[in-house]
Amino acid sequence: MLADWWQYDFLRYTLFSGILIGLICPILGTFLIVRRLSMMADGLSHVTLSGVAAGMLISKKVAFFSVVNPLFFGMLFAVIGSLFIERLRKVYKAYQDLAIPIILSAGLGLFTVLISIADGFNADLYSYLFGKIVTVSIEDLYALIGVAVVVLGTVLLIYKELFAVSFDEEFARVSGVARRSINLWFMVLVALTIAASMRIVGVLLISALITLPVAASLQIAKSFRQTIFLSILFAEFSVLSGLYFAYLLDWASGGTIVLMAVLVMLVVLGVKKLRAAFR
């Protein structure tokens, strides 16, 4: 059965996409959790979903857009949503986390309206909600490669600045770090990652892959860099094993990947407790 992953194009696309997702999601997730913005992915995922629904509706009504992948509409909406979240965080300085449920509610409301306008639930939308192996296309893979290059390039180039802004924005400001620009660009990267990952993980489950591997690594990591490394390791295991079992059992890939991530976290917690007990 493993030979199937090299025999069929869509399985190769899925495998390569999964490896990239397992790399960039925990990296961004580590910075999000440190910033106390772990719910950010949930908010942007609903905005992304409304963008995909808008893309499907527009392609149905306008022939010119029929060849455009709805994923790109999702990316556009996700970026706009990230900009609004950053703006609302400045408006509600004392309650910055309020920006996330505001955008989440707006995205979910818009999605519901667009679905009603389209006269029902599009069957293809299921793959965007929960992820599905057979729906990953070469366009999805190219989009994910582009996002991965930008994310990794950004982290490598401005790692120290991201680290400073994530742990202490005031110190970063005093040190001359362009925290506003970095915050804005970081939000855009999270939005693009969510949109690009939705075919495999599903837009309603992507936040779990962003947070669960990091939550597991925080239990045993001894430094920030080690947290990133372990979260990538846990995420890659969750993605690859989740894709394998999803293909084997014909399950939704997103749900299977998330269940594997939950299993990894439970194993880490169990091992930590056992070590403490023996000590």
Side-chain angles (χ1 to χ4, degrees), residues 252-269:
S253 57
T256 312
I257 289 171
V258 170
L259 287 178
M260 295 306 298
V262 172
L263 179 61
V264 168
M265 188 178 68
L266 292 176
V267 169
V268 169
L269 290 173

Side-chain angles (χ1 to χ4, degrees), residues 4-24:
D4 293 346
W5 290 89
W6 302 108
Q7 183 178 357
Y8 300 106
D9 288 340
F10 73 91
L11 287 178
R12 288 202 301 272
Y13 302 155
T14 300
L15 179 62
F16 296 145
S17 298
I19 292 172
L20 291 174
I21 290 171
L23 178 64
I24 61 177

Side-chain angles (χ1 to χ4, degrees), residues 91 110 144 147 191 197 226:
V91 173
L110 181 58
L144 190 54
V147 172
S197 306
Q226 194 176 64

Side-chain angles (χ1 to χ4, degrees), residues 31-32 34-40 44 81-103 165-169 179-188 190:
F31 286 103
L32 279 175
V34 167
R35 290 167 171 238
R36 307 295 192 271
L37 292 174
S38 57
M39 296 301 293
M40 176 70 68
L44 290 178
S82 67
L83 298 179
F84 270 107
I85 286 178
E86 189 61 22
R87 178 60 184 170
L88 287 172
R89 288 181 67 210
K90 294 177 183 177
V91 173
Y92 296 98
K93 292 184 178 180
Y95 309 97
Q96 292 189 7
D97 57 337
L98 187 60
I100 298 175
I102 290 175
I103 295 299
V165 171
S166 298
F167 277 93
D168 193 337
E169 279 199 39
R179 60 187 181 90
R180 291 185 178 179
S181 300
I182 290 176
N183 280 333
L184 195 60
W185 180 238
F186 180 78
M187 295 299 182
V188 170
V190 174

